[in-house]
Protein backbone atom coordinates (compact mmCIF):
# COMPACT_ATOMS: atom_id res chain seq x y z
CA UNK A 1 0.00 0.00 0.00
CA UNK A 2 1.25 3.50 -0.83
CA UNK A 3 1.78 6.20 1.72
CA UNK A 4 -0.09 9.53 1.38
CA UNK A 5 2.01 12.43 0.14
CA UNK A 6 3.72 14.43 2.84
CA UNK A 7 5.83 17.44 1.89
CA UNK A 8 9.48 17.29 2.71
CA UNK A 9 10.60 20.09 5.03
CA UNK A 10 13.89 20.36 3.22
CA UNK A 11 12.15 21.64 0.05
CA UNK A 12 11.36 25.35 -0.29
CA UNK A 13 7.75 26.40 -0.47
CA UNK A 14 7.17 27.46 -4.12
CA UNK A 15 4.61 30.08 -3.02
CA UNK A 16 6.94 31.87 -0.65
CA UNK A 17 7.96 35.33 -1.83
CA UNK A 18 11.55 36.35 -2.45
CA UNK A 19 13.99 37.40 0.23
CA UNK A 20 12.68 39.83 2.82
CA UNK A 21 14.69 42.94 3.56
CA UNK A 22 14.39 45.61 6.24
CA UNK A 23 11.83 48.43 6.14
CA UNK A 24 11.75 50.59 3.04
CA UNK A 25 12.43 54.28 3.61
CA UNK A 26 11.00 56.96 1.37
CA UNK A 27 12.36 60.38 0.63
CA UNK A 28 10.18 63.10 2.21
CA UNK A 29 7.88 64.93 -0.21
CA UNK A 30 9.48 67.88 -1.92
CA UNK A 31 7.56 69.98 -4.43
CA UNK A 32 8.97 69.94 -7.92
CA UNK A 33 10.10 73.27 -9.26
CA UNK A 34 11.61 73.58 -12.70
CA UNK A 35 15.29 74.47 -12.75
CA UNK A 36 14.53 78.15 -13.34
CA UNK A 37 12.59 78.77 -10.10
CA UNK A 38 9.11 78.71 -8.64
CA UNK A 39 6.02 78.56 -10.84
CA UNK A 40 4.79 81.82 -12.38
CA UNK A 41 1.97 83.76 -10.71
CA UNK A 42 -1.58 83.12 -11.88
CA UNK A 43 -3.32 85.50 -14.21
CA UNK A 44 -5.62 87.71 -12.11
CA UNK A 45 -8.67 87.05 -14.29
CA UNK A 46 -8.21 83.26 -14.40
CA UNK A 47 -9.72 82.66 -10.99
CA UNK A 48 -12.39 85.27 -11.63
CA UNK A 49 -13.45 83.43 -14.79
CA UNK A 50 -13.60 80.15 -12.88
CA UNK A 51 -15.73 81.61 -10.08
CA UNK A 52 -18.07 83.36 -12.51
CA UNK A 53 -18.40 80.13 -14.50
CA UNK A 54 -19.37 78.15 -11.40
CA UNK A 55 -21.83 80.83 -10.23
CA UNK A 56 -23.15 81.07 -13.79
CA UNK A 57 -24.06 77.39 -13.82
CA UNK A 58 -25.37 77.08 -10.28
CA UNK A 59 -27.19 80.35 -9.62
CA UNK A 60 -27.39 82.88 -12.45
CA UNK A 61 -26.90 81.83 -16.07
CA UNK A 62 -26.57 85.48 -17.13
CA UNK A 63 -22.97 85.32 -15.84
CA UNK A 64 -22.14 82.56 -18.38
CA UNK A 65 -21.18 84.94 -21.20
CA UNK A 66 -19.05 86.99 -18.80
CA UNK A 67 -17.17 83.87 -17.68
CA UNK A 68 -16.75 82.84 -21.33
CA UNK A 69 -15.30 86.24 -22.25
CA UNK A 70 -12.97 86.51 -19.25
CA UNK A 71 -11.77 82.90 -19.60
CA UNK A 72 -11.00 83.32 -23.29
CA UNK A 73 -9.22 86.63 -22.71
CA UNK A 74 -7.16 85.22 -19.85
CA UNK A 75 -6.17 82.14 -21.89
CA UNK A 76 -5.00 84.34 -24.77
CA UNK A 77 -2.95 86.54 -22.44
CA UNK A 78 -1.43 83.52 -20.67
CA UNK A 79 -0.46 81.95 -23.99
CA UNK A 80 1.04 85.25 -25.20
CA UNK A 81 3.01 85.79 -21.97
CA UNK A 82 5.63 83.18 -22.83
CA UNK A 83 5.45 81.43 -19.47
CA UNK A 84 5.47 84.49 -17.21
CA UNK A 85 1.80 83.99 -16.28
CA UNK A 86 0.16 80.83 -15.00
CA UNK A 87 -3.40 79.76 -14.21
CA UNK A 88 -4.34 78.49 -17.64
CA UNK A 89 -6.30 75.62 -16.10
CA UNK A 90 -8.52 77.97 -14.12
CA UNK A 91 -9.05 80.18 -17.16
CA UNK A 92 -9.90 77.19 -19.34
CA UNK A 93 -12.34 75.83 -16.76
CA UNK A 94 -14.03 79.24 -16.56
CA UNK A 95 -14.19 79.35 -20.36
CA UNK A 96 -15.84 75.91 -20.57
CA UNK A 97 -18.23 76.65 -17.70
CA UNK A 98 -19.12 79.89 -19.49
CA UNK A 99 -20.05 77.90 -22.59
CA UNK A 100 -22.22 75.58 -20.50
CA UNK A 101 -23.83 78.57 -18.79
CA UNK A 102 -24.59 80.21 -22.15
CA UNK A 103 -26.21 77.00 -23.42
CA UNK A 104 -28.31 76.83 -20.26
CA UNK A 105 -29.25 80.50 -20.68
CA UNK A 106 -30.26 79.94 -24.31
CA UNK A 107 -32.36 76.89 -23.40
CA UNK A 108 -34.01 78.82 -20.57
CA UNK A 109 -34.86 81.71 -22.88
CA UNK A 110 -36.17 79.29 -25.52
CA UNK A 111 -38.42 77.53 -23.01
CA UNK A 112 -39.55 80.89 -21.60
CA UNK A 113 -40.54 82.17 -25.03
CA UNK A 114 -42.29 78.89 -25.84
CA UNK A 115 -44.19 79.09 -22.55
CA UNK A 116 -45.36 82.65 -23.27
CA UNK A 117 -46.46 81.68 -26.79
CA UNK A 118 -48.40 78.67 -25.48
CA UNK A 119 -50.10 80.78 -22.80
CA UNK A 120 -51.02 83.50 -25.33
CA UNK A 121 -52.55 80.92 -27.70
CA UNK A 122 -54.39 79.25 -24.84
CA UNK A 123 -55.88 82.57 -23.72
CA UNK A 124 -56.76 83.53 -27.30
CA UNK A 125 -58.45 80.20 -28.00
CA UNK A 126 -60.44 80.26 -24.77
CA UNK A 127 -61.67 83.82 -25.39
CA UNK A 128 -63.36 82.93 -28.64
Amino acid sequence: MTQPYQPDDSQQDPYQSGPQYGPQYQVPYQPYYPPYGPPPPDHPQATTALVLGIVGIVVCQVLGPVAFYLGRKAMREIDASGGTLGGRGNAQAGFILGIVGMVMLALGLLFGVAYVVIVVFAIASSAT
Side-chain angles (χ1 to χ4, degrees), residues 43-54 66-67 70-71 90-91 94:
H43 190 283
Q45 291 179 344
T47 306
T48 306
L50 177 63
V51 170
L52 287 176
I54 292 171
V66 178
L70 286 179
N90 288 348

Side-chain angles (χ1 to χ4, degrees), residues 25-43:
Y25 296 102
Q26 294 182 348
V27 177
Y29 172 75
Q30 296 176 357
Y32 171 74
Y33 292 123
Y36 48 83
D42 287 349
H43 190 283

Side-chain angles (χ1 to χ4, degrees), residues 30 36 52 74-75 81 97 100 103:
Q30 296 176 357
Y36 48 83
L52 287 176
M75 283 193 313
S81 73
L97 291 173
V100 173
V103 168

Side-chain angles (χ1 to χ4, degrees), residues 11 19 26 37-38 60 62 106 116 119:
Q11 295 177 354
Q26 294 182 348
C60 179
V62 175
V116 169
V119 168

Side-chain angles (χ1 to χ4, degrees), residues 3-15:
Q3 295 284 332
Y5 174 74
Q6 294 182 358
D8 187 10
D9 290 336
S10 64
Q11 295 177 354
Q12 275 191 333
D13 183 10
Y15 300 107

Side-chain angles (χ1 to χ4, degrees), residues 64-79:
V66 178
F68 172 79
Y69 172 75
L70 286 179
R72 185 174 176 135
K73 180 182 171 192
M75 283 193 313
R76 285 182 179 170
E77 291 175 4
I78 290 169
D79 291 342

Side-chain angles (χ1 to χ4, degrees), residues 115-128:
Y115 179 74
V116 169
V117 168
I118 290 172
V119 168
V120 167
F121 280 132
I123 291 174
S125 67
S126 67
T128 56

Side-chain angles (χ1 to χ4, degrees), residues 40-41 58 84 87 89 111 125:
V58 176
T84 59
F111 286 130
S125 67

